[in-house]
Amino acid sequence: MDGWTLLIFFVCLTSITDSSPVMTRESLIKQINTQHFCANILKINNFYYSLAERKNLSGIPADISIHWKTGNIFFTKISEEMKMSLQVLRPSGEFETIKVAGLGQSTTVDNLNDIVYLATDNGVYKYKDDGSIQLYAALGEDVMYLAVSNDGGTMYIATWPQNRVHKLSNDGQKQEIFAPIPNGHGLTVDTRNNIYFVATKTSYILKNGESVPIKIKGLPTDKMTGIYVSRSDEVYAMDENSNLYVLEPENASARHLGTFSVNGVNSFAMDESDNILIGVKSAILKYKGYERDPCPQQKVNKKGKRHSRRRKTKKLTTTSTTEATEDYEEE
Ligand SMILES: *[C@@H]1O[C@H](CO)[C@@H](O)[C@H](O)[C@H]1NC(C)=O
Ligand SMILES: *[C@@H]1O[C@H](CO)[C@@H](O)[C@H](O)[C@H]1NC(C)=O
């Protein structure tokens, strides 16, 4: 904090004190909390984020997916002993281990049709909210990842060690090898049925109707964690250093939006309100998103001026390129 900021800060404090002659212990704590909250607001493009919650767990959370309707957060927990298990973090804050026949590898949620699928070493299962599971497709291969097309009609299933992707029709009638994608790490399908995957930490897109995947421009080539389609149909990507990008599927490019300043990101996801969940070793962090600056007063004091807010839209994609993008691309 430089002298000028300190002075303004002091003036601000004084005025707060003036306006409330009786300074109770509670109001002091509240004021300190507000200052702490406001000092930690992140501005990412046109959106404001604050770390709202940290859920500790033993191990690394991988492949986070969220059932928007229930708020259930699904992920694969990789324990210290490198053992994997499928977990659900309920809105109540409780973790639950999903019991599967065999080894659970990952989960995917078809949020349009409200179906949660489990990838396991003996096929694909549907997960019901009462915790029961039902076999969906027995492939005879170890399923690592899966993704479902927008209409729920087609499932893409990545298996290991064969390292191939199967395409399965909804009714299970037709199954074929889907050759355009060599392996299916981090398989994701957007609402226009473009397919994304990550190979050696580089993100690729296979555009709908094409047969050759292409490397997405504007993303780091060696540290991508995954891709997530938001409820507003936008496609986002995050790297290991929590840099958030929005993708332009049309021209297979990405635009840097900002960073959450968290390192060692293993997975990220977005909930029904575009809040962002970040999985790091031993924790899942939830960043609550605000359309408007929740601390406009503090921003005025800190920066000496207030940025005009031209838009109130929830989309992160509508503003021009930030300075941070330019910095990043210069590297
Ligand atoms: C979660 O872990 C962090 C970092 O190790 C620690 O500071 C915090 O107190 C833990 N929270 C809970 C509720 O245990
Ligand atoms: C891709 O398209 C977007 C939106 O039309 C545009 O802003 C961006 O400059 C394009 N990027 C490239 C690399 O062509």
Side-chain angles (χ1 to χ4, degrees), residues 217 248 250-251 253 255:
K217 294 182 287 283
E248 287 287 351
E250 277 308 306
N251 56 15
S253 69
R255 191 159 57 84

Side-chain angles (χ1 to χ4, degrees), residues 179-217:
I181 297 184
N183 71 69
H185 192 107
L187 210 54
T188 307
V189 181
D190 71 14
T191 49
R192 284 149 285 186
N193 287 327
N194 300 305
I195 308 177
Y196 306 85
F197 62 99
V198 179
T200 58
K201 296 192 177 180
T202 301
S203 291
Y204 291 83
I205 178 174
L206 175 70
K207 288 208 256 179
N208 187 5
E210 311 252 316
S211 57
V212 181
I214 40 179
K215 201 189 267 190
I216 300 168
K217 294 182 287 283

Side-chain angles (χ1 to χ4, degrees), residues 186 188 198 203 223-228 236-239 266-268:
T188 307
V198 179
S203 291
K223 45 178 172 248
M224 294 315 297
T225 65
I227 289 185
Y228 211 84
Y236 293 96
M238 189 177 278
D239 70 14
N266 197 58
S267 178
F268 89 107

Side-chain angles (χ1 to χ4, degrees), residues 63 76 82 84 86 100-107 118-125 135 137-146 155-166 175 177 182-185 187:
D63 299 305
T76 308
M82 298 302 281
M84 296 205 308
L86 301 183
V100 292
L103 182 65
Q105 304 278 24
S106 68
T107 49
L118 313 176
T120 80
D121 66 349
N122 60 21
V124 179
Y125 289 81
L135 185 64
L139 264 84
E141 288 179 23
D142 188 347
V143 180
M144 300 298 286
Y145 300 96
L146 40 97
M155 182 180 275
Y156 298 91
I157 304 171
T159 64
W160 187 88
Q162 294 85 0
N163 268 325
R164 60 186 172 194
V165 175
H166 298 265
Q175 181 189 330
I177 305 272
N183 71 69
H185 192 107
L187 210 54

Side-chain angles (χ1 to χ4, degrees), residues 73-109:
I73 299 168
F74 296 88
F75 63 97
T76 308
K77 186 169 91 173
I78 303 163
S79 74
E80 311 278 344
E81 304 82 37
M82 298 302 281
K83 281 206 182 111
M84 296 205 308
S85 62
L86 301 183
Q87 302 279 323
V88 51
L89 172 56
R90 304 223 177 254
S92 63
E94 282 167 277
F95 288 104
E96 212 174 280
T97 302
I98 299 174
K99 291 176 193 70
V100 292
L103 182 65
Q105 304 278 24
S106 68
T107 49
T108 198
V109 182

Side-chain angles (χ1 to χ4, degrees), residues 2 16 31 75 110 114 116 149 151 192 281 284 308:
D2 60 32
I16 290 171
Q31 189 183 313
F75 63 97
D110 172 1
D114 290 311
V116 179
S149 66
D151 63 358
R192 284 149 285 186
K281 187 175 189 289
I284 293 176
S308 64

